[in-house]
Every structure is written in C-alpha cells, then in structure tokens.
C-alpha cells in the first residue's frame, strides 16, 4: 500500500508540475501576443485569458448582435478595431479603402478554416470554391482579370436600358400593391429584380 501511495503521489506531483509548466508557457505566449497587437485600438480586455468574451456575452444577453457591438466600437475607436477571443485577435475594418488594401494590395494570409466554412457551411455549398473563397492570391488575380471586362464602366453603361426596364417593372408592381393594406416582402421583390437583371444582361433572357 505504501508503494502504491508513493506512486500516486509522484504522479500527482508530475501532473501538477506539467500543468504549471503549460500554464506558465501559455501565459508567456499571451503576454507576447498581446504586446504584438497592442498598437491597434480597441476595447480593454475584460480577462487576461478570455479577452473580450465577457463583454460580448454581456451585450448578447442584452439582445445585441456581435456586429452591432462592433459598429458601436468603430464609432469609439475608429475604422480599425481589435477584439480578443481567448488568445485569438480579431481585427475589424470598416473603412472601404483600408479593407481593399487588406484584401488586395497587402496579400495577407487567409484563414483556411474561415474560407472553408464560407464555401461550405454545415457541409452544404454556399460560395463553393469560386472567386470569393480561393486561397491562392495568384489564382485569384487570374480569375479576377477574366471578369474585369464584364464590370467595366463602359460595358455597364450599355446595359442601362435593361436595368431601367427591370426597375420600371418593379415600380409598376409596387404601384398596384400600394393600397395601404397589402403587405409586401421587399427582400423578395429585390431578389426577383436582381434575378431579372442577371437573366437579361447575362443570359439574354426576356420574359
């Protein structure tokens, strides 16, 4: 029994030392990563380990979405805001030019897990493996260059008659429904107009 008790004691000591070592190492890493991003404005961390999760949890309990919170923080700290989830920094950019620079000019590394979820959330295809979710910047540039002519201002100006035709159809329909009693799902109507325009300009379909 004495030998068994001694072995158990040594195991407990070993586990305690190992956990202490891991906790110390993780704490040192957190200090390093915090200092690395300290120059970016954002709310003060509520917890050394949890970061801003207590703030997010408290705002969600009040019925506020995370993106509503981020919008408020942009009003306080400016177009670039840093928030922490445990040891992970999340940087939110609201300025169009800064976002363009981050996505195009700087060629920053992309998180494969995020882009995988964007392409196939819950195992079902959403964005797929197209232009939005391609990880390789060189491949993205090649695909984007193929689409450039379709989005050139001169080409789009030639399609204004189709755009105006679809908009006129929508306005005529809304005029008929505007009796003060009929409920109109505008999201559905805008989706129909979008599909109508795509059918006309992309596939020469006219109903």
């Amino acid at each position: 029994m004495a030998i068994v008790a001694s072995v158990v004691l040594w195991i407990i000591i070993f586990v305690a030392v190992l956990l202490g070592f891991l906790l110390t190492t993780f704490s040192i890493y957190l200090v390093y990563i915090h200092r690395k991003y300290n120059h970016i404005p954002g709310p003060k961390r509520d917890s050394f380990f949890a970061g801003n999760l207590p703030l997010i949890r408290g705002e969600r309990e009040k019925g506020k979405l995370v993106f509503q919170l981020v919008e408020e923080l942009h009003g306080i700290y400016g177009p670039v805001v840093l928030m922490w989830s445990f040891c992970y920094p999340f940087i939110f950019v609201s300025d169009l030019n800064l976002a363009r620079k981050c996505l195009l000019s700087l060629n920053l590394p992309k998180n494969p897990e995020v882009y995988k979820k964007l392409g196939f959330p819950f195992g079902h295809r959403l964005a797929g493996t197209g232009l939005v979710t391609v990880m390789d910047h060189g491949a993205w540039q090649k695909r984007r260059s193929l689409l450039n002519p379709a989005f050139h201002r001169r080409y789009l100006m030639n399609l204004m008659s189709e755009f105006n035709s679809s908009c006129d159809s929508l306005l005529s329909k809304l005029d008929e429904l505007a009796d003060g009693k009929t409920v109109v799902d505008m999201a559905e109507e805008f989706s129909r107009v979008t599909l109508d325009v795509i059918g006309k300009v992309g596939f020469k379909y006219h109903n």
Side-chain angles (χ1 to χ4, degrees), residues 120-185:
F120 298 90
F122 307 107
H124 295 279
R125 186 181 187 278
L126 178 64
T129 55
L131 187 67
V132 176
T133 57
V134 64
M135 297 283 296
D136 183 76
H137 191 70
W140 179 89
Q141 284 183 321
K142 290 180 181 178
R143 295 183 186 181
R144 183 66 180 86
S145 62
L146 294 175
L147 293 175
N148 280 340
F151 292 95
H152 194 277
R153 185 175 183 275
R154 185 181 303 170
Y155 176 73
L156 293 176
M157 289 298 294
N158 293 330
L159 302 175
M160 287 305 298
S161 60
E162 282 82 358
F163 295 157
N164 291 335
S165 173
S166 297
C167 291
D168 289 340
S169 298
L170 172 64
L171 293 175
S172 298
K173 182 178 180 180
L174 293 178
D175 188 52
E176 295 175 1
L177 297 173
D179 56 5
K181 299 178 181 179
T182 306
V183 177
V184 180
D185 186 346

Side-chain angles (χ1 to χ4, degrees), residues 39-52:
H39 62 287
I40 303 176
K44 184 179 179 181
R45 294 184 304 274
D46 302 282
S47 167
F48 179 75
F49 291 105
N52 297 115

Side-chain angles (χ1 to χ4, degrees), residues 64-165:
K64 188 179 296 183
L65 298 175
V66 175
F67 295 105
Q68 292 175 311
L69 171 62
V70 171
E71 185 178 1
E72 291 182 2
L73 293 175
H74 278 306
I76 299 172
Y77 298 100
V80 180
V81 172
L82 168 68
M83 296 187 73
W84 291 89
S85 174
F86 296 110
C87 60
Y88 297 103
F90 289 86
I91 300 174
F92 298 89
V93 180
S94 63
D95 181 79
L96 179 61
N97 292 324
L98 286 176
R100 182 183 294 114
K101 185 175 182 180
C102 292
L103 294 172
L104 303 180
S105 305
L106 296 179
N107 189 18
L108 298 173
K110 300 176 180 178
N111 189 320
E113 289 300 319
V114 172
Y115 276 74
K116 182 179 179 181
K117 291 178 181 178
L118 179 62
F120 298 90
F122 307 107
H124 295 279
R125 186 181 187 278
L126 178 64
T129 55
L131 187 67
V132 176
T133 57
V134 64
M135 297 283 296
D136 183 76
H137 191 70
W140 179 89
Q141 284 183 321
K142 290 180 181 178
R143 295 183 186 181
R144 183 66 180 86
S145 62
L146 294 175
L147 293 175
N148 280 340
F151 292 95
H152 194 277
R153 185 175 183 275
R154 185 181 303 170
Y155 176 73
L156 293 176
M157 289 298 294
N158 293 330
L159 302 175
M160 287 305 298
S161 60
E162 282 82 358
F163 295 157
N164 291 335
S165 173

Side-chain angles (χ1 to χ4, degrees), residues 185-201:
D185 186 346
M186 291 305 297
E188 177 70 18
E189 296 303 326
F190 286 135
S191 296
R192 291 178 181 275
V193 171
T194 303
L195 288 174
D196 188 46
V197 170
I198 292 174
K200 289 178 179 177
V201 303

